[in-house]
Amino acid sequence: MRTRVAALAALLALLLSMTRATAITKGGIRDAGEHPMVGQLVFYVPDALPSPYGADQPGGWFSCSGTLLSGTVVVTAGHCTFAIGLDSVSTTTEENRFTAEGGNGTGGNDVWFSLNEDDDHWDGWPLTFDDDGNLNFPTQQARYEARRDFLNGNPLWVRGTSFPHPEYDDRAFYIHDAGVVELDEAQPGPYARIPTTDYLERYAGRRNEHRFEVVGYGLERAHPIFEIGGDTRMKAEPRLLNLVSNPKKTYIQLSNNPVTGGTCFGDSGGPTFDGTNSRLVVAIKSFRYSPNCTRVGGACRL
């Protein structure tokens, strides 16, 4: 599951490689109930490739983080809402598929949200392979139906419908990397808030030691041959590195530091709060520059 929590992208327009779906890294700590409005999303993308089952069986499950703005509205990243299936059916056209030309797939309802803080909302998740390495399900549709039924029958998960930003483009996801999920059932507060226009400009033009607070369910560490953590709500306090972005005012850069913590796979869509003890979400996690979740991470401005 966690090996597929993040879609990977190389952006040729940037000098540094940026990778989507950025878990709170080493240096972060358990959230311990501080942000009850932050939850985990799991969703099904019918068009996703490459597939471990071959090109004739596309489709995959992914997870992100998100934040309640009201009882039914979750704000998250655009790439966490794009191309989500509608009862397992693709929401992108055949000519403009998720893995090829991009496309603004909207309205998918194969997305679920959980506010559970530890990882027991995954207990009973239908696994692809048994202990002997044999497939538990003969087809992608059978896997979809087993996982849909598990999620629909688990009170820790609630289903929703996804809506990417109207200008979201998967080929340049970082420009409008925002979206919402509208839940079928209202969830209890407290809820987060979003800022007024140009709110972040107060931190421009000077070195600033103001600490933001990031929250998410991603990995704590990622390496080529192993990973640590995931599926548990964590928090960290990164420092703002830069407000400058291209295009202007689209994202901010935050430190991924072993001391203060940062973000990693599975934290995409999670909130960047304006300081500790704040419920003001000024940005949502979008990408990071390093495959090991170090150095710098980027967040889409709200």
Side-chain angles (χ1 to χ4, degrees):
M1 172 61 190
R2 292 182 203 142
T3 59
R4 304 220 57 186
V5 297
L8 304 181
L11 301 179
L12 299 180
L14 299 181
L15 295 177
L16 295 174
S17 175
M18 286 170 19
T19 306
R20 281 186 284 189
T22 75
I24 305 303
T25 60
K26 181 180 179 182
I29 60 174
R30 289 288 186 102
D31 186 64
E34 183 179 337
H35 300 94
M37 71 291 292
V38 180
Q40 187 170 28
L41 291 159
V42 63
F43 53 95
Y44 177 67
V45 177
D47 297 333
L49 287 172
S51 166
Y53 320 109
D56 60 334
Q57 289 196 50
W61 292 83
F62 303 85
S63 75
C64 284
S65 303
T67 310
L68 279 172
L69 298 182
S70 72
T72 57
V73 175
V74 177
V75 65
T76 186
H79 71 266
C80 299
T81 55
F82 167 79
I84 289 177
L86 180 65
D87 294 321
S88 82
V89 178
S90 172
T91 56
T92 61
T93 66
E94 191 68 23
E95 297 79 18
N96 203 17
R97 295 179 68 83
F98 172 67
T99 55
E101 299 300 326
N104 195 5
T106 62
N109 65 352
D110 289 328
V111 55
W112 290 260
F113 181 68
S114 176
L115 288 169
N116 189 57
E117 187 167 342
D118 55 32
D119 62 359
D120 58 11
H121 50 297
W122 291 105
D123 291 350
W125 176 256
L127 299 177
T128 301
F129 299 98
D130 63 21
D131 292 340
D132 297 323
N134 301 311
L135 280 171
N136 285 324
F137 307 99
T139 65
Q140 181 62 258
Q141 184 64 23
R143 285 186 288 277
Y144 164 81
E145 292 175 0
R147 291 171 176 176
R148 174 204 62 195
D149 293 346
F150 163 79
L151 292 162
N152 284 342
N154 188 327
L156 295 177
W157 291 99
V158 59
R159 199 168 189 172
T161 301
S162 68
F163 299 93
H165 189 289
E167 297 180 69
Y168 177 80
D169 185 340
D170 201 52
R171 295 162 294 185
F173 70 90
Y174 59 97
I175 297 178
H176 297 291
D177 196 15
V180 298
V181 173
E182 184 175 353
L183 302 178
D184 293 349
E185 302 172 21
Q187 303 301 295
Y191 309 121
R193 300 178 293 113
I194 57 176
T196 56
T197 302
D198 289 336
Y199 177 89
L200 283 170
E201 296 311 304
R202 66 190 60 199
Y203 302 122
R206 57 193 173 92
R207 181 176 177 82
N208 197 293
E209 294 300 326
H210 175 73
R211 294 289 180 181
F212 292 87
E213 192 160 49
V214 293
V215 184
Y217 284 76
L219 301 177
E220 295 174 53
R221 297 182 68 184
H223 290 268
I225 59 174
F226 71 92
E227 57 192 39
I228 298 174
D231 300 329
T232 299
R233 192 193 303 149
M234 303 280 287
K235 65 178 182 177
E237 298 178 9
R239 181 172 61 84
L240 176 68
L241 296 180
N242 209 329
L243 279 178
V244 178
S245 62
N246 184 17
K248 292 181 179 180
K249 300 182 181 180
T250 56
Y251 59 86
I252 62 175
Q253 295 180 5
L254 299 169
S255 64
N256 268 10
N257 188 298
V259 176
T260 60
T263 56
C264 192
F265 295 110
D267 281 329
S268 271
T272 300
F273 291 104
D274 184 32
T276 59
N277 301 314
S278 171
R279 292 179 182 169
L280 184 67
V281 181
V282 295
I284 48 181
K285 294 306 297 179
S286 175
F287 62 87
R288 57 180 175 62
Y289 288 108
S290 165
N292 294 332
C293 303
T294 57
R295 293 169 33 208
V296 182
C300 179
R301 292 175 61 156
L302 289 181

